[in-house]
Amino acid sequence: MTAPVIQPAGVERRLSDPWTVSRIVRIALIAAAIIGGFASLRFLEFNLVEMYRGIGRSGYLEAAFPPKWGGEFRSSLSALWRTMLMAAAGTGLAAVFAFPVGILAAQNLSPHPTVRAVARGFIVFCRATPELVFAVVFVLVVSIGEKPGVVALGLHSIGMLGKMLADRLEEIDEKPREAALAAGGSRWQAIANAAFPQVIPNFVNVTVYRFDINLRAAAVIGLVGGGGIGQLIAGNLQNRLRYPVGWAQALLLAVVILVVDMLSTRLRGALAGIESRNVTELRLSQQKALKSGARSLRAPWTRDRVVTSAASWSMVVIFLFSMYEIGLTPFEIVRMLWGAIGELPRYVPPSFNDVSYQIARDGSQALNFDAYRAAVIDTIAIATGAAFIAIVLAVPTGFLIARTTTKSAQVSGIVRTLLASLRALPDLALVLFLTSLVGLASPFPAAAALAIGLFAFLAKLIADDLDGLGSHAQEALRAAGATHRQEVIGGVLPAAVPMLVSHCLYALDIAVRGTLLLGVFTGVGIGWVFTQTNFLPNPYPAIAACVLTIYALVVLIEALGLLVRRYLI
């Protein structure tokens, strides 16, 4: 028996963490995030009361509702169909290129470290360059049309699909691949029959999710690439006499987005459990092959494999059909890419000359470099303000509706339905509505529209991830007699902190990209300056300056993310 530890008189036992450099940096980062969020809201003059008063002053509701087609239902359906084709073709194009790029970028499958570094660099470049930038560059090469929009969506989507695939390939169970090699299979046979079956369900899952994103993006990028329902919505919601038609088209797009989201959620749910089962089946089949000396290394045709193959080939058929309908051939894609590369000398050196920007708060006109500086400040303020509002609302909402943390399944279902409806409403329609209340050249509409959409997206993302966290810890606490609140705090929250930090950083990343797109319609931020370069006699140097500015912002967020993950996770 050990003797009890006797504390000297007057000495208090300290249970708090010591004041290390890591703890100081952690507290400083959290304080900076909170202060920065409130500072952004103050800079944006974020005022919900003023927005409410604007509804009454503008008479917007009376002019816009009820929505009416005005004899344009068939033309709206046709434009929506073209938008869906653009999204499907762009997503399929990204999947085709992301697969080899992802393999080359995976550490365990790449043939050489240099090849891996180049592939990873290409993925980062695609992720950091928004669709709008790619679209404008390709429009300058081949003129307006749907084709530049498709290639722009595809190139940007490679960043997400390639990264997800490379990361997943690096996490595969290596035993089936080692068994395939030991059975006499070649390196390619081992990859095709032991690695691919482990990642294909996840890749199909992510590709379906990317189509959801591209459907929304195609509605906006259609304004640059040409055509689509986004162009009709923007034109009608900028004309007071056309408000009812514009909102009818916006609601039509929202319904389609909602239906696509529901179908994709069901498909992704069906694919979610296949991946883990595939690993077990592959292990068993490869072990049997080793014992029997069989030369066949093919994965067995199970029910899961049939489902995955059917989903994969269906996506291939949809992609080919979409490319055919748009009229985009591989030769034209190569010609576009080669043409864009050939134009690179015209972008050098970047220039900040001949550009002006109206500063929203005082109405003054900034010129040259001052214009870029003012636009960048507005962009950062809009993105941080929107992300701050979305995070503050989404975190408690996510805990409210997650199955592992909620008390009421009915409340969870109702809130999830509202979030899905809110997320389906196009950002384009929201920002144009808010612009009509507050006015152009104001950062408020873009920030508010971004915050609404981002809140709905982030709350669902957090809830879905919370559903798989802390179940064992909760059961242990429940068996010990803990209350529901104690179960959440002690069982779920500790495991959720890394996930919440990652999602908050992802929200900021989305907000920056969204600011670039929505700034086109509100007359604020670097997105507005970027689109105005098309009116210059020689737009190339100014476009290069904007692209470098946008790229720097995205890379800055990536660096911030690394810093935050180092000290907060």
Side-chain angles (χ1 to χ4, degrees):
M1 180 180 295
T2 58
V5 177
I6 301 175
Q7 295 285 353
V11 177
E12 182 181 352
R13 188 178 178 185
R14 295 181 59 86
L15 299 177
S16 61
D17 294 334
W19 283 96
T20 61
V21 174
S22 178
R23 187 185 181 196
I24 293 172
V25 173
R26 189 185 307 126
I27 294 174
L29 286 172
I30 295 172
I34 296 173
I35 294 171
F38 281 109
S40 297
L41 296 183
R42 184 174 181 181
F43 179 85
L44 296 172
E45 300 176 354
F46 206 94
N47 192 331
L48 295 177
V49 175
E50 185 63 26
M51 185 184 72
Y52 176 76
R53 292 173 178 171
I55 296 176
R57 288 195 305 266
S58 66
Y60 187 93
L61 296 179
E62 292 81 358
F65 294 94
K68 298 177 183 178
W69 288 109
E72 298 183 21
F73 181 69
R74 293 186 63 180
S75 61
S76 300
L77 279 181
S78 176
L80 176 62
W81 175 245
R82 304 305 296 182
T83 298
M84 294 180 69
L85 289 174
M86 286 180 61
T91 305
L93 192 64
V96 169
F97 282 96
F99 214 83
V101 171
I103 294 172
L104 295 177
Q107 187 173 10
N108 54 338
L109 300 183
S110 184
H112 194 273
T114 303
V115 175
R116 178 177 181 268
V118 172
R120 284 281 181 178
F122 179 67
I123 288 173
V124 171
F125 169 74
C126 291
R127 286 183 66 239
T129 308
E131 307 97 323
L132 183 66
V133 172
F134 281 131
V136 170
V137 169
F138 290 127
V139 163
L140 290 174
V141 173
V142 297
S143 76
I144 62 173
E146 295 170 342
K147 297 175 183 179
V150 169
V151 178
L153 286 171
L155 269 179
H156 179 67
S157 300
I158 288 174
M160 174 182 172
L161 297 183
K163 182 181 184 301
M164 294 290 188
L165 179 61
D167 291 347
R168 186 63 195 92
L169 283 169
E170 292 179 349
E171 298 169 358
I172 62 171
D173 188 334
E174 292 288 352
K175 286 184 172 56
R177 192 163 70 96
E178 293 169 358
L181 291 172
S186 65
R187 181 174 179 273
W188 172 249
Q189 285 177 317
I191 293 174
N193 296 295
F196 284 177
Q198 297 186 53
V199 300
I200 289 295
N202 178 266
F203 186 71
V204 173
N205 192 328
V206 175
T207 302
V208 172
Y209 175 60
R210 186 68 216 186
F211 174 73
D212 287 358
I213 297 174
N214 283 343
L215 183 58
R216 293 170 173 83
V220 178
I221 210 173
L223 293 169
V224 180
I229 197 167
Q231 186 169 352
L232 297 181
I233 293 172
N236 289 326
L237 292 185
Q238 289 172 334
N239 181 352
R240 187 179 181 84
L241 298 177
R242 305 278 299 171
Y243 282 174
V245 176
W247 271 103
Q249 293 165 339
L251 293 176
L252 175 64
L253 176 60
V255 169
V256 171
I257 290 174
L258 186 60
V259 171
V260 169
D261 181 72
M262 292 171 60
L263 294 176
S264 66
T265 299
R266 285 183 174 274
L267 176 59
R268 286 186 278 123
L271 293 170
I274 291 178
E275 191 171 347
S276 60
R277 293 195 295 269
N278 277 355
V279 176
T280 303
E281 292 167 358
L282 281 169
R283 278 191 174 190
L284 293 174
S285 63
Q286 299 297 354
Q287 288 172 1
K288 289 179 181 177
L290 280 173
K291 290 179 180 179
S292 63
R295 301 294 297 172
S296 177
L297 301 174
R298 296 183 179 276
W301 277 100
T302 61
R303 179 179 178 276
D304 287 342
R305 189 180 177 192
V306 171
V307 172
T308 304
S309 298
S312 303
W313 283 108
S314 298
M315 291 170 60
V316 171
V317 172
I318 293 172
F319 165 61
L320 294 175
F321 174 76
S322 302
M323 294 286 283
Y324 173 78
E325 285 292 305
I326 290 175
L328 185 60
T329 64
F331 173 76
E332 288 179 294
I333 295 172
V334 172
R335 184 169 66 88
M336 245 185 283
L337 295 173
W338 186 255
I341 294 172
E343 296 285 347
L344 286 179
R346 304 183 67 175
Y347 293 93
V348 181
S351 173
F352 296 97
N353 296 325
D354 303 324
V355 176
S356 64
Y357 179 74
Q358 183 177 349
I359 302 175
R361 279 146 301 287
D362 56 14
S364 62
Q365 199 79 5
L367 300 172
N368 303 331
F369 182 75
D370 290 338
Y372 283 91
R373 183 172 59 187
V376 169
I377 291 173
D378 279 349
T379 298
I380 294 174
I382 293 169
T384 53
F388 181 69
I389 294 172
I391 292 168
V392 168
L393 296 177
V395 171
T397 304
F399 276 86
L400 175 67
I401 63 177
R403 288 191 296 271
T404 55
T405 56
T406 187
K407 284 186 174 181
S408 172
Q410 290 78 12
V411 172
S412 175
I414 293 172
V415 176
R416 281 181 180 270
T417 303
L418 292 175
L419 289 176
S421 303
L422 202 60
R423 185 168 172 258
L425 195 62
D427 291 342
L428 176 62
L430 275 175
V431 77
L432 291 174
F433 165 63
L434 295 171
T435 299
S436 70
L437 306 182
V438 181
L440 283 170
S442 169
F444 174 81
L450 270 175
I452 293 171
L454 192 55
F455 154 66
F457 166 76
L458 191 60
K460 180 181 182 298
L461 187 64
I462 290 173
D464 290 346
D465 283 352
L466 284 174
D467 285 341
L469 289 177
S471 56
H472 296 298
Q474 277 186 288
E475 291 174 3
L477 290 171
R478 191 180 303 118
T483 64
H484 178 75
R485 179 172 173 271
Q486 290 171 328
E487 288 178 27
V488 173
I489 294 176
V492 179
L493 192 57
V497 169
M499 176 269 291
L500 292 174
V501 172
S502 297
H503 288 344
C504 290
L505 290 170
Y506 185 42
L508 181 60
D509 183 76
I510 294 175
V512 169
R513 301 174 196 278
T515 302
L516 299 174
L517 291 175
L518 297 184
V520 174
F521 306 103
T522 56
V524 295
I526 198 70
W528 172 257
V529 174
F530 180 73
T531 56
Q532 297 311 297
T533 57
N534 288 330
F535 299 102
L536 297 175
N538 180 21
Y540 295 95
I543 289 176
C546 280
V547 170
L548 290 176
T549 305
I550 294 168
Y551 195 82
L553 286 175
V554 175
V555 171
L556 183 63
I557 293 176
E558 293 283 345
L560 177 64
L562 292 175
L563 177 66
V564 170
R565 288 185 178 92
R566 177 181 177 184
Y567 288 101
L568 290 185
I569 297 181

